[in-house]
Amino acid sequence: MGTLSFDVAHLLAGSLVLVSFMMLYQDRLYALLNVFALHAVVLTASVAWQAYVQHAPHLYVTAAIALFFKGMAIPIALHRIISRLGIHRQIETVVGVGSTMLAGMALVGLSMVVMLRVTPEADPLAREDLAFALSVLLLGLLIMVTRRNAVSQVVGFMSLENGLVLAATGAKGMPLVVEISVAFSILIAFIVIGVFLFRIRERFDTVDVGALDEFRGEQQ
């Protein structure tokens, strides 16, 4: 593999981590959804580049699925859900943005140290992709645990899955049927989550997890 191919793959995977930090920084739902769509577009570019350098045409299908579902269909659907439910558009966080960003940087450092140490014999491109993919996955988890709004937690879950796709495409030999199965599993999960959001909104008149805890008597 040439230096240019490696550098471009490295740039795209690193950009995905950067956009994850942009999602972590957002405090408004619509802005978060727009950045999530950008996350999907960067993932699409990364997967398409992997298809090119690995000479694996089936990865173009994975890229097309990511662009259609995560770059367009799911963000548009979440925009409509927010509009129909009349959800408060300011995102409430568990801790401050500064602390969250510091935690995110620590997780990225941890991902690099762990993955580069445990994969010394692997292909250099696969090693870098796995390290960046673990960073994206952990940042998605961080979004889920530091946000009180259910919609923002859904976005964290979807971005977490983007890290799994990056890891899968970086590892050569992933069957197309597995990638399509994962994509449709995520779509079904999104539909189920959407239905639950409507049901929760109808029952409790809110989707804020802090308010739901109060209904359960877990907060004073």
Side-chain angles (χ1 to χ4, degrees):
M1 180 182 297
T3 303
L4 178 62
S5 299
F6 182 86
D7 289 343
V8 172
H10 202 168
L11 173 65
L12 292 172
S15 298
L16 203 61
V17 177
L18 177 62
V19 179
S20 292
F21 273 105
M22 291 171 63
M23 285 197 292
L24 205 57
Y25 180 77
Q26 300 304 317
D27 60 356
R28 299 189 66 81
L29 274 178
Y30 282 153
L32 178 64
L33 295 181
N34 293 336
V35 177
F36 172 67
L38 175 62
H39 201 260
V41 171
V42 176
L43 175 68
T44 299
S46 179
V47 174
W49 185 253
Q50 290 285 349
Y52 172 73
V53 297
Q54 294 183 23
H55 306 290
H58 66 279
L59 290 182
Y60 288 115
V61 178
T62 303
I65 290 173
L67 180 62
F68 177 74
F69 285 111
K70 298 177 183 175
M72 294 185 288
I74 291 178
I76 291 173
L78 285 175
H79 270 282
R80 291 183 177 177
I81 287 175
I82 292 172
S83 179
R84 288 189 60 184
L85 294 181
I87 296 173
H88 186 56
R89 293 162 191 179
Q90 190 77 24
I91 300 173
E92 294 187 20
T93 58
V94 177
V95 295
V97 174
S99 301
T100 307
M101 298 294 281
L102 287 175
M105 287 187 279
L107 290 175
V108 171
L110 177 66
S111 303
M112 295 296 170
V113 170
V114 170
M115 293 308 301
L116 295 181
R117 283 180 180 269
V118 301
T119 58
E121 305 298 330
D123 178 76
L125 179 58
R127 290 182 71 202
E128 299 289 344
D129 269 0
L130 288 173
F132 283 122
L134 182 59
S135 300
V136 172
L137 190 152
L138 292 179
L139 290 175
L141 284 175
L142 186 61
I143 293 172
M144 292 180 69
V145 301
T146 57
R147 300 297 189 272
R148 295 185 184 277
N149 183 278
V151 174
S152 57
Q153 292 178 344
V154 171
V155 172
F157 172 73
M158 295 291 170
S159 67
L160 179 156
E161 195 270 343
N162 284 350
L164 295 177
V165 172
L166 180 65
T169 53
K172 295 180 180 179
M174 174 68 71
L176 177 60
V177 65
V178 175
E179 295 166 17
I180 293 178
S181 298
V182 171
F184 276 97
S185 297
I186 293 300
L187 179 62
I188 292 171
F190 171 74
I191 293 172
V192 172
I193 289 170
V195 171
F196 272 105
L197 283 176
F198 276 101
R199 295 293 297 169
I200 291 171
R201 178 67 169 79
E202 290 174 358
R203 177 69 177 81
F204 299 102
D205 200 32
T206 180
V207 291
D208 188 299
V209 293
L212 296 178
D213 286 341
E214 290 180 0
F215 278 114
R216 296 173 56 193
E218 293 185 358
Q219 287 186 353
Q220 301 298 323

Tab-separated table of all heavy atoms in Angstrom, residues 77-139:
chain	number	residue	atom	x	y	z
A	77	ALA	N	-35.586	11.619	10.034
A	77	ALA	CA	-36.616	11.039	10.907
A	77	ALA	C	-36.530	11.612	12.321
A	77	ALA	O	-37.552	11.921	12.943
A	77	ALA	CB	-36.465	9.518	10.936
A	78	LEU	N	-35.304	11.776	12.836
A	78	LEU	CA	-35.156	12.337	14.188
A	78	LEU	C	-35.579	13.804	14.229
A	78	LEU	O	-36.169	14.258	15.222
A	78	LEU	CB	-33.698	12.196	14.647
A	78	LEU	CG	-33.277	10.783	15.061
A	78	LEU	CD1	-31.786	10.728	15.379
A	78	LEU	CD2	-34.070	10.305	16.271
A	79	HIS	N	-35.310	14.555	13.164
A	79	HIS	CA	-35.807	15.939	13.096
A	79	HIS	C	-37.320	15.954	13.222
A	79	HIS	O	-37.889	16.780	13.961
A	79	HIS	CB	-35.380	16.579	11.771
A	79	HIS	CG	-34.042	17.270	11.829
A	79	HIS	ND1	-33.869	18.512	12.382
A	79	HIS	CD2	-32.822	16.878	11.409
A	79	HIS	CE1	-32.598	18.867	12.300
A	79	HIS	NE2	-31.937	17.887	11.704
A	80	ARG	N	-37.999	15.062	12.504
A	80	ARG	CA	-39.465	15.033	12.528
A	80	ARG	C	-39.979	14.581	13.886
A	80	ARG	O	-41.007	15.066	14.373
A	80	ARG	CB	-39.968	14.113	11.415
A	80	ARG	CG	-39.725	14.693	10.023
A	80	ARG	CD	-40.294	13.816	8.933
A	80	ARG	NE	-40.108	14.435	7.622
A	80	ARG	CZ	-40.457	13.873	6.476
A	80	ARG	NH1	-41.019	12.661	6.487
A	80	ARG	NH2	-40.261	14.493	5.340
A	81	ILE	N	-39.271	13.601	14.515
A	81	ILE	CA	-39.691	13.145	15.851
A	81	ILE	C	-39.614	14.301	16.851
A	81	ILE	O	-40.534	14.516	17.644
A	81	ILE	CB	-38.797	11.964	16.303
A	81	ILE	CG1	-39.162	10.700	15.508
A	81	ILE	CG2	-38.959	11.707	17.806
A	81	ILE	CD1	-38.249	9.516	15.800
A	82	ILE	N	-38.521	15.052	16.801
A	82	ILE	CA	-38.370	16.188	17.718
A	82	ILE	C	-39.474	17.210	17.487
A	82	ILE	O	-40.074	17.741	18.428
A	82	ILE	CB	-36.986	16.847	17.516
A	82	ILE	CG1	-35.889	15.900	17.973
A	82	ILE	CG2	-36.903	18.158	18.294
A	82	ILE	CD1	-34.491	16.387	17.632
A	83	SER	N	-39.774	17.468	16.199
A	83	SER	CA	-40.817	18.444	15.879
A	83	SER	C	-42.192	17.963	16.337
A	83	SER	O	-42.962	18.733	16.937
A	83	SER	CB	-40.820	18.700	14.365
A	83	SER	OG	-41.825	19.607	14.021
A	84	ARG	N	-42.507	16.684	16.098
A	84	ARG	CA	-43.835	16.164	16.457
A	84	ARG	C	-44.011	16.036	17.956
A	84	ARG	O	-45.106	16.265	18.489
A	84	ARG	CB	-44.055	14.799	15.798
A	84	ARG	CG	-44.281	14.877	14.293
A	84	ARG	CD	-44.704	13.547	13.748
A	84	ARG	NE	-45.945	13.071	14.350
A	84	ARG	CZ	-46.483	11.892	14.086
A	84	ARG	NH1	-45.881	11.075	13.237
A	84	ARG	NH2	-47.606	11.520	14.657
A	85	LEU	N	-42.953	15.658	18.664
A	85	LEU	CA	-43.072	15.495	20.111
A	85	LEU	C	-42.935	16.815	20.858
A	85	LEU	O	-43.250	16.893	22.044
A	85	LEU	CB	-41.994	14.519	20.619
A	85	LEU	CG	-42.107	13.072	20.149
A	85	LEU	CD1	-40.989	12.233	20.749
A	85	LEU	CD2	-43.454	12.487	20.550
A	86	GLY	N	-42.467	17.849	20.155
A	86	GLY	CA	-42.282	19.131	20.833
A	86	GLY	C	-41.248	19.048	21.937
A	86	GLY	O	-41.393	19.647	23.002
A	87	ILE	N	-40.174	18.297	21.678
A	87	ILE	CA	-39.144	18.086	22.687
A	87	ILE	C	-38.362	19.377	22.904
A	87	ILE	O	-38.077	20.119	21.965
A	87	ILE	CB	-38.190	16.956	22.235
A	87	ILE	CG1	-38.960	15.633	22.147
A	87	ILE	CG2	-37.025	16.815	23.197
A	87	ILE	CD1	-38.148	14.514	21.553
A	88	HIS	N	-38.002	19.618	24.179
A	88	HIS	CA	-37.139	20.758	24.494
A	88	HIS	C	-35.821	20.596	23.756
A	88	HIS	O	-35.183	19.552	23.849
A	88	HIS	CB	-36.895	20.805	26.003
A	88	HIS	CG	-36.149	22.020	26.451
A	88	HIS	ND1	-36.575	23.303	26.185
A	88	HIS	CD2	-34.999	22.151	27.156
A	88	HIS	CE1	-35.727	24.165	26.703
A	88	HIS	NE2	-34.757	23.491	27.300
A	89	ARG	N	-35.405	21.604	23.007
A	89	ARG	CA	-34.284	21.435	22.079
A	89	ARG	C	-32.926	21.723	22.697
A	89	ARG	O	-31.915	21.600	22.027
A	89	ARG	CB	-34.527	22.303	20.850
A	89	ARG	CG	-35.727	21.771	20.071
A	89	ARG	CD	-36.321	22.739	19.126
A	89	ARG	NE	-37.610	22.226	18.621
A	89	ARG	CZ	-38.389	22.865	17.787
A	89	ARG	NH1	-38.049	24.042	17.347
A	89	ARG	NH2	-39.536	22.336	17.402
A	90	GLN	N	-32.902	22.112	23.932
A	90	GLN	CA	-31.631	22.297	24.630
A	90	GLN	C	-31.261	20.978	25.299
A	90	GLN	O	-32.086	20.360	25.977
A	90	GLN	CB	-31.760	23.390	25.694
A	90	GLN	CG	-30.445	23.841	26.309
A	90	GLN	CD	-29.660	24.763	25.386
A	90	GLN	OE1	-30.248	25.400	24.521
A	90	GLN	NE2	-28.352	24.808	25.560
A	91	ILE	N	-30.025	20.512	25.099
A	91	ILE	CA	-29.605	19.225	25.655
A	91	ILE	C	-29.083	19.427	27.071
A	91	ILE	O	-28.183	20.240	27.290
A	91	ILE	CB	-28.493	18.586	24.790
A	91	ILE	CG1	-28.993	18.355	23.371
A	91	ILE	CG2	-28.031	17.271	25.403
A	91	ILE	CD1	-27.915	17.883	22.422
A	92	GLU	N	-29.676	18.717	28.024
A	92	GLU	CA	-29.188	18.785	29.396
A	92	GLU	C	-28.113	17.721	29.591
A	92	GLU	O	-28.287	16.562	29.211
A	92	GLU	CB	-30.335	18.562	30.374
A	92	GLU	CG	-31.365	19.681	30.333
A	92	GLU	CD	-32.399	19.532	31.427
A	92	GLU	OE1	-32.117	18.817	32.407
A	92	GLU	OE2	-33.468	20.126	31.290
A	93	THR	N	-26.995	18.130	30.190
A	93	THR	CA	-25.867	17.211	30.373
A	93	THR	C	-25.685	16.862	31.846
A	93	THR	O	-26.083	17.621	32.728
A	93	THR	CB	-24.575	17.841	29.828
A	93	THR	OG1	-24.348	19.081	30.497
A	93	THR	CG2	-24.685	18.091	28.340
A	94	VAL	N	-25.074	15.722	32.092
A	94	VAL	CA	-24.814	15.279	33.466
A	94	VAL	C	-23.675	16.087	34.074
A	94	VAL	O	-23.720	16.473	35.240
A	94	VAL	CB	-24.474	13.775	33.484
A	94	VAL	CG1	-24.120	13.314	34.894
A	94	VAL	CG2	-25.653	12.967	32.942
A	95	VAL	N	-22.618	16.351	33.284
A	95	VAL	CA	-21.480	17.161	33.738
A	95	VAL	C	-21.227	18.253	32.704
A	95	VAL	O	-21.822	18.256	31.625
A	95	VAL	CB	-20.216	16.293	33.916
A	95	VAL	CG1	-20.406	15.283	35.021
A	95	VAL	CG2	-19.863	15.583	32.616
A	96	GLY	N	-20.351	19.193	33.016
A	96	GLY	CA	-20.062	20.295	32.123
A	96	GLY	C	-19.358	19.857	30.845
A	96	GLY	O	-18.762	18.776	30.781
A	97	VAL	N	-19.416	20.752	29.830
A	97	VAL	CA	-18.802	20.433	28.537
A	97	VAL	C	-17.291	20.244	28.673
A	97	VAL	O	-16.704	19.336	28.079
A	97	VAL	CB	-19.112	21.550	27.513
A	97	VAL	CG1	-18.352	21.310	26.212
A	97	VAL	CG2	-20.603	21.606	27.237
A	98	GLY	N	-16.649	21.095	29.480
A	98	GLY	CA	-15.197	20.994	29.650
A	98	GLY	C	-14.784	19.645	30.211
A	98	GLY	O	-13.855	19.007	29.697
A	99	SER	N	-15.485	19.210	31.241
A	99	SER	CA	-15.157	17.903	31.836
A	99	SER	C	-15.410	16.774	30.847
A	99	SER	O	-14.639	15.804	30.775
A	99	SER	CB	-16.004	17.686	33.097
A	99	SER	OG	-15.767	18.701	34.036
A	100	THR	N	-16.495	16.899	30.076
A	100	THR	CA	-16.814	15.865	29.098
A	100	THR	C	-15.748	15.779	28.007
A	100	THR	O	-15.345	14.687	27.605
A	100	THR	CB	-18.176	16.152	28.444
A	100	THR	OG1	-19.156	16.326	29.464
A	100	THR	CG2	-18.595	15.019	27.538
A	101	MET	N	-15.269	16.940	27.552
A	101	MET	CA	-14.234	16.930	26.511
A	101	MET	C	-12.927	16.338	27.036
A	101	MET	O	-12.238	15.589	26.335
A	101	MET	CB	-13.999	18.358	26.010
A	101	MET	CG	-15.221	18.999	25.365
A	101	MET	SD	-15.739	18.195	23.832
A	101	MET	CE	-14.570	18.857	22.680
A	102	LEU	N	-12.583	16.653	28.276
A	102	LEU	CA	-11.367	16.080	28.866
A	102	LEU	C	-11.490	14.558	28.982
A	102	LEU	O	-10.541	13.819	28.699
A	102	LEU	CB	-11.111	16.696	30.243
A	102	LEU	CG	-10.614	18.145	30.258
A	102	LEU	CD1	-10.530	18.667	31.682
A	102	LEU	CD2	-9.244	18.238	29.577
A	103	ALA	N	-12.684	14.096	29.392
A	103	ALA	CA	-12.911	12.654	29.477
A	103	ALA	C	-12.795	12.023	28.087
A	103	ALA	O	-12.233	10.921	27.940
A	103	ALA	CB	-14.290	12.377	30.077
A	104	GLY	N	-13.306	12.722	27.069
A	104	GLY	CA	-13.209	12.214	25.700
A	104	GLY	C	-11.767	12.093	25.249
A	104	GLY	O	-11.375	11.083	24.640
A	105	MET	N	-10.943	13.101	25.547
A	105	MET	CA	-9.525	13.034	25.154
A	105	MET	C	-8.814	11.894	25.875
A	105	MET	O	-7.968	11.206	25.284
A	105	MET	CB	-8.841	14.373	25.460
A	105	MET	CG	-9.248	15.481	24.499
A	105	MET	SD	-8.299	17.005	24.738
A	105	MET	CE	-9.172	17.689	26.131
A	106	ALA	N	-9.174	11.671	27.127
A	106	ALA	CA	-8.565	10.561	27.869
A	106	ALA	C	-8.953	9.218	27.244
A	106	ALA	O	-8.111	8.311	27.133
A	106	ALA	CB	-9.021	10.615	29.329
A	107	LEU	N	-10.202	9.095	26.807
A	107	LEU	CA	-10.651	7.846	26.181
A	107	LEU	C	-9.936	7.600	24.848
A	107	LEU	O	-9.593	6.457	24.521
A	107	LEU	CB	-12.168	7.885	25.969
A	107	LEU	CG	-13.017	7.810	27.239
A	107	LEU	CD1	-14.498	7.985	26.909
A	107	LEU	CD2	-12.795	6.482	27.951
A	108	VAL	N	-9.726	8.667	24.082
A	108	VAL	CA	-9.002	8.516	22.809
A	108	VAL	C	-7.560	8.067	23.071
A	108	VAL	O	-7.036	7.161	22.398
A	108	VAL	CB	-9.023	9.835	22.015
A	108	VAL	CG1	-8.097	9.747	20.798
A	108	VAL	CG2	-10.444	10.150	21.552
A	109	GLY	N	-6.909	8.697	24.067
A	109	GLY	CA	-5.549	8.277	24.416
A	109	GLY	C	-5.499	6.826	24.852
A	109	GLY	O	-4.608	6.073	24.450
A	110	LEU	N	-6.491	6.428	25.650
A	110	LEU	CA	-6.553	5.037	26.101
A	110	LEU	C	-6.735	4.083	24.924
A	110	LEU	O	-6.089	3.023	24.856
A	110	LEU	CB	-7.718	4.878	27.090
A	110	LEU	CG	-7.970	3.458	27.616
A	110	LEU	CD1	-6.782	3.000	28.466
A	110	LEU	CD2	-9.262	3.418	28.438
A	111	SER	N	-7.580	4.466	23.981
A	111	SER	CA	-7.827	3.620	22.801
A	111	SER	C	-6.547	3.420	21.999
A	111	SER	O	-6.242	2.302	21.559
A	111	SER	CB	-8.894	4.262	21.906
A	111	SER	OG	-10.079	4.485	22.606
A	112	MET	N	-5.794	4.515	21.812
A	112	MET	CA	-4.556	4.421	21.030
A	112	MET	C	-3.547	3.501	21.717
A	112	MET	O	-2.939	2.634	21.079
A	112	MET	CB	-3.946	5.826	20.848
A	112	MET	CG	-4.809	6.755	20.035
A	112	MET	SD	-5.000	6.177	18.337
A	112	MET	CE	-6.273	7.283	17.725
A	113	VAL	N	-3.385	3.698	23.009
A	113	VAL	CA	-2.393	2.900	23.739
A	113	VAL	C	-2.765	1.418	23.711
A	113	VAL	O	-1.936	0.543	23.425
A	113	VAL	CB	-2.295	3.397	25.201
A	113	VAL	CG1	-1.452	2.431	26.036
A	113	VAL	CG2	-1.697	4.795	25.244
A	114	VAL	N	-4.048	1.129	23.969
A	114	VAL	CA	-4.481	-0.272	24.044
A	114	VAL	C	-4.372	-0.956	22.691
A	114	VAL	O	-3.757	-2.029	22.569
A	114	VAL	CB	-5.933	-0.350	24.574
A	114	VAL	CG1	-6.472	-1.770	24.425
A	114	VAL	CG2	-5.978	0.075	26.042
A	115	MET	N	-4.948	-0.338	21.646
A	115	MET	CA	-5.006	-1.016	20.346
A	115	MET	C	-3.619	-1.145	19.707
A	115	MET	O	-3.313	-2.166	19.086
A	115	MET	CB	-5.950	-0.265	19.402
A	115	MET	CG	-7.406	-0.314	19.812
A	115	MET	SD	-8.037	-1.989	20.139
A	115	MET	CE	-7.765	-2.787	18.571
A	116	LEU	N	-2.785	-0.126	19.831
A	116	LEU	CA	-1.469	-0.207	19.204
A	116	LEU	C	-0.557	-1.199	19.932
A	116	LEU	O	0.347	-1.769	19.335
A	116	LEU	CB	-0.823	1.186	19.156
A	116	LEU	CG	-1.552	2.196	18.270
A	116	LEU	CD1	-0.831	3.528	18.261
A	116	LEU	CD2	-1.721	1.680	16.836
A	117	ARG	N	-0.820	-1.410	21.227
A	117	ARG	CA	-0.009	-2.377	21.969
A	117	ARG	C	-0.439	-3.823	21.717
A	117	ARG	O	0.401	-4.721	21.724
A	117	ARG	CB	-0.093	-2.084	23.471
A	117	ARG	CG	0.746	-0.903	23.919
A	117	ARG	CD	0.598	-0.678	25.418
A	117	ARG	NE	1.406	0.463	25.854
A	117	ARG	CZ	2.653	0.366	26.275
A	117	ARG	NH1	3.222	-0.821	26.323
A	117	ARG	NH2	3.327	1.428	26.657
A	118	VAL	N	-1.751	-4.042	21.528
A	118	VAL	CA	-2.236	-5.425	21.398
A	118	VAL	C	-2.239	-5.910	19.956
A	118	VAL	O	-2.525	-7.080	19.708
A	118	VAL	CB	-3.655	-5.570	21.992
A	118	VAL	CG1	-3.669	-5.182	23.452
A	118	VAL	CG2	-4.678	-4.770	21.204
A	119	THR	N	-1.942	-5.030	18.985
A	119	THR	CA	-1.955	-5.454	17.580
A	119	THR	C	-0.628	-5.140	16.899
A	119	THR	O	-0.612	-4.571	15.798
A	119	THR	CB	-3.106	-4.772	16.824
A	119	THR	OG1	-2.937	-3.336	16.944
A	119	THR	CG2	-4.455	-5.165	17.369
A	120	PRO	N	0.519	-5.519	17.482
A	120	PRO	CA	1.813	-5.156	16.870
A	120	PRO	C	2.075	-5.859	15.547
A	120	PRO	O	2.833	-5.355	14.713
A	120	PRO	CB	2.836	-5.576	17.940
A	120	PRO	CG	2.156	-6.666	18.702
A	120	PRO	CD	0.706	-6.297	18.723
A	121	GLU	N	1.459	-7.032	15.347
A	121	GLU	CA	1.731	-7.805	14.131
A	121	GLU	C	0.711	-7.554	13.024
A	121	GLU	O	0.840	-8.096	11.936
A	121	GLU	CB	1.727	-9.312	14.463
A	121	GLU	CG	2.675	-9.712	15.586
A	121	GLU	CD	4.127	-9.412	15.241
A	121	GLU	OE1	4.458	-9.454	14.032
A	121	GLU	OE2	4.920	-9.127	16.151
A	122	ALA	N	-0.305	-6.767	13.314
A	122	ALA	CA	-1.375	-6.554	12.334
A	122	ALA	C	-0.927	-5.600	11.231
A	122	ALA	O	0.097	-4.908	11.355
A	122	ALA	CB	-2.611	-5.997	13.037
A	123	ASP	N	-1.703	-5.568	10.143
A	123	ASP	CA	-1.458	-4.629	9.057
A	123	ASP	C	-1.509	-3.201	9.599
A	123	ASP	O	-2.413	-2.873	10.380
A	123	ASP	CB	-2.530	-4.842	7.971
A	123	ASP	CG	-2.371	-3.864	6.840
A	123	ASP	OD1	-1.470	-4.042	6.008
A	123	ASP	OD2	-3.153	-2.890	6.818
A	124	PRO	N	-0.555	-2.325	9.215
A	124	PRO	CA	-0.544	-0.956	9.771
A	124	PRO	C	-1.861	-0.217	9.579
A	124	PRO	O	-2.325	0.495	10.476
A	124	PRO	CB	0.597	-0.289	8.989
A	124	PRO	CG	1.500	-1.412	8.603
A	124	PRO	CD	0.601	-2.584	8.355
A	125	LEU	N	-2.490	-0.352	8.401
A	125	LEU	CA	-3.760	0.340	8.160
A	125	LEU	C	-4.849	-0.195	9.089
A	125	LEU	O	-5.638	0.576	9.653
A	125	LEU	CB	-4.180	0.157	6.703
A	125	LEU	CG	-5.502	0.817	6.306
A	125	LEU	CD1	-5.440	2.318	6.577
A	125	LEU	CD2	-5.813	0.565	4.838
A	126	ALA	N	-4.893	-1.522	9.267
A	126	ALA	CA	-5.901	-2.110	10.153
A	126	ALA	C	-5.683	-1.664	11.594
A	126	ALA	O	-6.638	-1.371	12.322
A	126	ALA	CB	-5.855	-3.634	10.058
A	127	ARG	N	-4.416	-1.563	12.018
A	127	ARG	CA	-4.119	-1.127	13.391
A	127	ARG	C	-4.642	0.280	13.628
A	127	ARG	O	-5.298	0.557	14.636
A	127	ARG	CB	-2.600	-1.138	13.631
A	127	ARG	CG	-1.973	-2.505	13.703
A	127	ARG	CD	-0.496	-2.377	13.997
A	127	ARG	NE	-0.256	-1.945	15.371
A	127	ARG	CZ	0.859	-1.352	15.770
A	127	ARG	NH1	1.815	-1.092	14.907
A	127	ARG	NH2	1.022	-1.022	17.034
A	128	GLU	N	-4.349	1.181	12.703
A	128	GLU	CA	-4.804	2.567	12.866
A	128	GLU	C	-6.319	2.634	12.862
A	128	GLU	O	-6.925	3.342	13.669
A	128	GLU	CB	-4.234	3.434	11.733
A	128	GLU	CG	-2.726	3.501	11.675
A	128	GLU	CD	-2.153	4.309	12.836
A	128	GLU	OE1	-2.916	5.045	13.483
A	128	GLU	OE2	-0.950	4.182	13.094
A	129	ASP	N	-6.947	1.900	11.941
A	129	ASP	CA	-8.412	1.933	11.860
A	129	ASP	C	-9.041	1.391	13.134
A	129	ASP	O	-10.034	1.932	13.628
A	129	ASP	CB	-8.899	1.121	10.659
A	129	ASP	CG	-9.038	1.985	9.419
A	129	ASP	OD1	-8.752	3.199	9.526
A	129	ASP	OD2	-9.424	1.459	8.365
A	130	LEU	N	-8.480	0.305	13.682
A	130	LEU	CA	-9.029	-0.262	14.914
A	130	LEU	C	-8.873	0.704	16.086
A	130	LEU	O	-9.773	0.827	16.926
A	130	LEU	CB	-8.341	-1.595	15.226
A	130	LEU	CG	-8.710	-2.762	14.300
A	130	LEU	CD1	-7.841	-3.978	14.612
A	130	LEU	CD2	-10.188	-3.115	14.444
A	131	ALA	N	-7.737	1.402	16.147
A	131	ALA	CA	-7.534	2.373	17.229
A	131	ALA	C	-8.524	3.523	17.123
A	131	ALA	O	-9.149	3.927	18.117
A	131	ALA	CB	-6.090	2.893	17.181
A	132	PHE	N	-8.698	4.049	15.900
A	132	PHE	CA	-9.670	5.133	15.715
A	132	PHE	C	-11.099	4.632	15.943
A	132	PHE	O	-11.940	5.351	16.494
A	132	PHE	CB	-9.545	5.729	14.313
A	132	PHE	CG	-8.370	6.643	14.147
A	132	PHE	CD1	-7.408	6.395	13.193
A	132	PHE	CD2	-8.227	7.759	14.947
A	132	PHE	CE1	-6.322	7.246	13.041
A	132	PHE	CE2	-7.140	8.624	14.811
A	132	PHE	CZ	-6.182	8.362	13.849
A	133	ALA	N	-11.382	3.400	15.507
A	133	ALA	CA	-12.737	2.854	15.678
A	133	ALA	C	-13.079	2.708	17.156
A	133	ALA	O	-14.198	3.033	17.582
A	133	ALA	CB	-12.840	1.489	14.974
A	134	LEU	N	-12.108	2.239	17.960
A	134	LEU	CA	-12.369	2.122	19.397
A	134	LEU	C	-12.587	3.505	20.013
A	134	LEU	O	-13.432	3.666	20.903
A	134	LEU	CB	-11.185	1.415	20.084
A	134	LEU	CG	-11.331	1.183	21.586
A	134	LEU	CD1	-12.562	0.342	21.897
A	134	LEU	CD2	-10.081	0.509	22.159
A	135	SER	N	-11.866	4.512	19.518
A	135	SER	CA	-12.067	5.882	20.007
A	135	SER	C	-13.487	6.355	19.711
A	135	SER	O	-14.162	6.923	20.579
A	135	SER	CB	-11.052	6.826	19.350
A	135	SER	OG	-9.734	6.448	19.636
A	136	VAL	N	-13.947	6.128	18.469
A	136	VAL	CA	-15.311	6.543	18.093
A	136	VAL	C	-16.350	5.810	18.937
A	136	VAL	O	-17.339	6.395	19.406
A	136	VAL	CB	-15.547	6.269	16.589
A	136	VAL	CG1	-17.011	6.518	16.219
A	136	VAL	CG2	-14.634	7.136	15.745
A	137	LEU	N	-16.110	4.524	19.163
A	137	LEU	CA	-17.050	3.722	19.963
A	137	LEU	C	-17.139	4.261	21.402
A	137	LEU	O	-18.240	4.459	21.939
A	137	LEU	CB	-16.567	2.275	19.952
A	137	LEU	CG	-17.515	1.203	20.513
A	137	LEU	CD1	-17.222	-0.135	19.829
A	137	LEU	CD2	-17.346	1.035	22.016
A	138	LEU	N	-15.983	4.538	22.014
A	138	LEU	CA	-15.987	5.026	23.393
A	138	LEU	C	-16.571	6.432	23.491
A	138	LEU	O	-17.269	6.754	24.472
A	138	LEU	CB	-14.556	5.013	23.951
A	138	LEU	CG	-13.951	3.619	24.149
A	138	LEU	CD1	-12.519	3.725	24.683
A	138	LEU	CD2	-14.795	2.801	25.117
A	139	LEU	N	-16.334	7.270	22.481
A	139	LEU	CA	-16.932	8.606	22.494
A	139	LEU	C	-18.448	8.515	22.348
A	139	LEU	O	-19.186	9.312	22.933
A	139	LEU	CB	-16.331	9.460	21.372
A	139	LEU	CG	-14.860	9.867	21.574
A	139	LEU	CD1	-14.329	10.606	20.345
A	139	LEU	CD2	-14.714	10.744	22.811
